[in-house]
Amino acid sequence: MCGIVGYVGPRQALDVLLDGLRRLEYRGYDSAGVVLLNEKGLEVERATGKLSALAERLKRKPIPGTTGLGHTRWATHGGVTESNAHPHRSCDGRIAVVHNGIVENYQELRRELHGHEFSSATDTEVLAHLIEHHYSKLKGHPLKAVSRALGKVRGSFALGVIFADYPGLLLAARVNCPLVLGVGKGENFLASDLSALLKYTRKIIPLEENEIAKIDAEGVQIFDRALGKIRRRPLEVPWKAETALKGGYPHFMLKEIFEQQQTIAAEVGGRGEALDDVRIPRDIERVVVVACGTAWHAGLVGKVAIEELARLPVDVGMASELRYGDAPFGPETLTIAISQSGETADTLAAVRIAQEAGSKVLAVTNVKGSTLSREADQVLFMRAGLEIGVAATKTYTSQVMNMLFLAAHLGRRRGALAADRFQAIVREARRLPGLVERVLEDTAGIRKCARKFSRGYDFMYIGRRYNLATAFEGALKMKEISYLHAEGYGAGEMKHGPLALVDDSMTCVAIAPKGRVTEKMISNIQEIRARRGRVIAVATKGDRSVRSVADHVFEIPDCEEMFSPVLAAIPLQLFAYHVATSLGRDVDQPRNLAKSVTVE
Ligand code: AGP
């Protein structure tokens, strides 16, 4: 997925680039590099491994210059080596590019570029040579050269380009990968996302599909592919720069888990008005949720709630599957796309398919100006604030809250939910920030339990109804940050196969808060215990029946069943966090992962 950043203005660009890369490192951390323009020409430094390796080199030998680009890599084409690290340069070293995305036809282009010498195994390097080819054919003219070169490229990219012949100029372009421009006073920026820019400006311009931007210290100019000028005013983003700091916590993930009292309060406050603005076609017959990963789990909670409260059938499609399937979308289908980043490639592809078939798309996203927020017909913005940890925590519970509210509103509008029940749901929602606070107050037991269970190898998370998704999400958290094997199952599915895995080496995490299926969950726990499996249960405080059958209990306060996935997710986030840290894992930047999956 990679992160790119660029600066032009009066400051020493290196500081801005390294600072931006630090904030984008969650997008990839296989290698990093920078290029700066100074009297020697384009000076490049690259290093494999985390950004700190590059920063260390640059500390010893800083590169001067007030215009530059930086890159942090998540390897797709070519191994993790210094020669494959970005920036990549043209043969004469006078053009350099940084790239997020994939050049699908790079082999074909490489063959066509006779006489060009390549020094990496990446798809990206072909862009530097292709631009060089057009630049020399045009005898200069960087903008035209980039536009012509991109005309030959298939794939997805967010691109930053710098020319040794043009001091104080950067070019940027995008197709299917996010790129934002930051507008400052006498200085301007580009970045894969705005977290890299917040320290310098809150005025951003998201670049749209197929656009090219010319950035210098005086301003930014945007062009379409035919180089026609496009006028666009900057957006003002509400997030503060401090949001991107750890605030005394050892990891962003822990900080973000503990922020959930505020984020849930933000979701509850004023949500009524936001939902009143959502126009849902009266004649919809079904809902399709499209999402990936954690967002898909939030969709599963939404399914149970919408079917219960609004009596509408809901399919929850994995966007990566749905985009190649034949799901019948149409005007009678409401498509709900859930994506924290609003940039997940598969989710965007599924949205486009739904829209082409005439379905209206309602987006639930956290990022203003994201591609999803711009392409959807309507948007419900989550109020989770910036999330930096690769593992989604506070944004998951925010997504769940939005889906629950949406279900209640749909139910009300369709007449499926009585007014007094609706009011009871609203009253219960108002209690939630306080209940989240209670979950977060007492976490010592979870830490202790995590230390004990980090010696295990296999975890099986089970749940039903509203907490089937909690089982999937709990298992995902565990595997992505601890690298231990963890799977989520519907508890009722155990006898259909997974029970064969249970013996005294298996730890089952049973999500069994008070609700319609608590007794069923207790039976499932008994079956696991009878086969010597160990059980950690998430249960409602004071529920003796669950406590009597489990080895350990993580308690959550009593609440309406529909809100239990919000509360139950939190101890499981903490459990995964403490298991991972006791194993010495890098929880904010787990191996092989990146926060936004902007390529297929
Ligand atoms: C979960 O911890 C991951 N970060 C991942 O599954 C994520 O939820 C998924 O990639 C979807 O991202 P999105 O919400 O930004 O679309």
Side-chain angles (χ1 to χ4, degrees):
M1 284 76 46
C2 306
I4 69 175
V5 62
Y7 175 78
V8 50
R11 310 180 200 229
Q12 280 304 309
L14 187 58
D15 301 335
V16 183
L17 299 179
L18 287 176
D19 184 61
L21 289 179
R22 219 162 276 136
R23 301 184 198 273
L24 293 176
E25 208 184 2
Y26 69 82
R27 300 178 70 91
Y29 25 87
D30 290 330
S31 62
V34 291
V35 55
L36 288 108
L37 181 57
N38 55 40
E39 71 274 7
K40 289 190 199 155
L42 292 175
E43 260 200 276
V44 169
E45 187 61 83
R46 307 181 289 187
T48 54
K50 296 218 167 171
L51 180 63
S52 50
L54 176 75
E56 200 46 50
R57 277 193 198 178
L58 288 165
K59 205 163 133 194
R60 286 196 297 274
K61 205 172 150 248
I63 309 178
T66 57
T67 310
L69 293 167
H71 186 271
T72 178
R73 180 169 188 242
W74 188 86
T76 57
H77 295 59
V80 180
T81 62
E82 199 169 305
S83 57
N84 287 336
H86 300 216
H88 289 286
R89 276 166 291 183
S90 55
C91 294
D92 64 5
R94 298 191 63 75
I95 301 172
V97 299
V98 290
H99 169 223
N100 166 33
I102 293 175
V103 179
E104 284 164 7
N105 56 337
Y106 80 103
Q107 282 171 321
E108 178 190 320
L109 291 169
R110 211 168 152 141
R111 276 194 300 274
E112 282 169 19
L113 284 161
H114 305 292
H116 283 257
E117 274 190 27
F118 289 83
S119 55
S120 80
T122 64
D123 54 334
T124 300
E125 196 188 351
V126 82
L127 294 172
H129 293 278
L130 196 60
I131 294 168
E132 178 180 40
H133 169 78
H134 287 283
Y135 186 69
S136 69
K137 250 175 79 178
L138 288 159
K139 301 199 171 32
H141 213 303
L143 190 62
K144 269 193 195 155
V146 169
S147 153
R148 288 205 188 159
L150 294 185
K152 306 275 178 206
V153 175
R154 282 199 310 277
S156 52
F157 47 82
L159 196 69
V161 193
I162 185 167
F163 291 79
D165 298 344
Y166 287 83
L169 175 75
L170 294 175
L171 295 185
R174 79 159 267 180
V175 171
N176 272 331
C177 280
L179 193 64
V180 291
L181 310 178
V183 181
K185 287 195 181 111
E187 57 183 356
N188 290 300
F189 310 79
L190 66 91
S192 293
D193 78 44
L194 53 90
S195 61
L197 307 180
L198 286 175
K199 188 170 163 190
Y200 308 99
T201 179
R202 288 209 248 157
K203 283 194 175 146
I204 62 141
I205 302 180
L207 211 59
E208 303 274 359
E209 290 299 284
N210 292 310
E211 288 178 348
I212 304 182
K214 212 172 154 182
I215 305 150
D216 59 29
E218 275 70 57
V220 300
Q221 289 176 281
I222 301 173
F223 302 87
D224 61 24
R225 276 299 180 76
L227 300 185
K229 269 203 182 176
I230 295 171
R231 289 177 67 84
R232 184 153 319 128
R233 291 162 72 91
L235 296 171
E236 188 96 36
V237 292
W239 296 344
K240 294 195 186 105
E242 305 83 76
T243 329
L245 300 174
K246 283 187 197 154
Y249 286 91
H251 297 100
F252 283 111
M253 183 180 175
L254 192 62
K255 174 185 171 231
E256 286 156 4
I257 292 172
F258 275 89
E259 277 171 359
Q260 285 175 107
Q261 190 203 340
Q262 294 94 7
T263 56
I264 296 299
E267 294 298 350
V268 174
R271 197 34 101 191
E273 305 99 70
L275 279 155
D276 285 344
D277 291 343
V278 172
R279 297 170 310 281
I280 293 169
R282 284 218 159 266
D283 45 358
I284 55 163
E285 290 165 16
R286 66 195 270 264
V287 173
V288 175
V289 178
V290 299
C292 296
T294 287
W296 184 73
H297 300 154
L300 294 176
V301 178
K303 172 184 167 70
V304 182
I306 295 170
E307 290 183 344
E308 180 186 348
L309 305 178
R311 309 298 299 145
L312 260 174
V314 183
D315 290 322
V316 188
M318 269 175 207
S320 52
E321 285 299 315
L322 214 139
R323 65 182 293 188
Y324 295 114
D326 300 297
F329 287 100
E332 76 301 336
T333 313
L334 171 68
T335 301
I336 303 177
I338 312 176
S339 173
Q340 185 283 127
S341 61
E343 301 293 352
T344 299
D346 285 324
T347 305
L348 292 173
V351 160
R352 289 167 192 152
I353 288 168
Q355 282 175 325
E356 266 165 39
S359 172
K360 290 276 179 255
V361 173
L362 170 62
V364 176
T365 183
N366 199 29
V367 182
K368 281 207 171 136
S370 60
T371 308
L372 180 62
S373 74
R374 284 175 285 124
E375 293 193 9
D377 299 285
Q378 301 180 66
V379 188
L380 259 182
F381 282 108
M382 295 150 57
R383 297 170 177 197
L386 183 64
E387 185 176 74
I388 300 221
V390 164
T393 52
K394 61 176 180 167
T395 57
Y396 173 65
T397 49
S398 273
Q399 285 167 344
V400 170
M401 285 300 287
N402 278 284
M403 292 307 288
L404 295 175
F405 282 134
L406 199 55
H409 276 258
L410 267 172
R412 221 27 230 125
R413 284 205 207 152
R414 289 172 54 80
L417 186 66
D420 54 348
R421 171 94 173 98
F422 179 80
Q423 285 311 328
I425 291 172
V426 172
R427 278 197 302 279
E428 185 71 345
R430 291 202 188 112
R431 287 177 62 226
L432 269 193
L435 302 185
V436 169
E437 187 182 10
R438 275 161 58 191
V439 176
L440 290 169
E441 259 164 20
D442 182 19
T443 62
I446 301 174
R447 196 164 52 230
K448 233 162 118 189
C449 185
R451 280 207 202 108
K452 188 165 166 198
F453 282 91
S454 59
R455 289 192 290 272
Y457 298 102
D458 288 297
F459 291 91
M460 193 180 284
Y461 287 67
I462 56 170
R464 288 171 180 252
R465 253 171 78 77
Y466 279 103
N467 288 297
L468 172 62
T470 315
F472 293 155
E473 177 60 11
L476 178 65
K477 283 308 78 119
M478 181 59 80
K479 69 183 117 188
E480 71 181 328
I481 60 168
S482 75
Y483 318 150
L484 296 178
H485 178 233
E487 296 301 335
Y489 286 104
E493 281 292 292
M494 289 297 282
K495 290 198 232 11
H496 298 283
L499 203 55
L501 293 170
V502 176
D503 60 17
D504 58 2
S505 66
M506 173 66 78
T507 303
C508 292
V509 182
I511 299 101
K514 203 182 84 189
R516 208 194 278 181
V517 287
T518 320
E519 284 181 1
K520 299 282 167 209
M521 286 300 301
I522 291 172
S523 302
N524 294 127
I525 294 172
Q526 298 276 29
E527 287 155 9
I528 291 160
R529 290 290 302 273
R531 285 151 187 89
R532 292 179 296 126
R534 291 173 300 179
V535 177
I536 300 170
V538 179
T540 303
K541 197 173 174 67
D543 183 335
R544 293 217 192 104
S545 51
V546 177
R547 187 167 276 282
S548 67
V549 293
D551 297 288
H552 288 273
V553 176
F554 299 155
E555 286 184 333
I556 58 170
D558 193 5
C559 69
E560 270 259 6
E561 187 187 3
M562 65 181 276
F563 290 111
S564 64
V566 176
L567 300 181
I570 298 170
L572 300 184
Q573 294 166 351
L574 283 163
F575 182 54
Y577 172 83
H578 289 300
V579 168
T581 50
S582 70
L583 292 169
R585 309 294 193 226
D586 185 345
V587 292
D588 281 338
Q589 295 176 341
R591 68 183 182 198
N592 305 338
L593 300 179
K595 187 149 185 77
S596 326
V597 184
T598 55
V599 292
E600 244 189 298

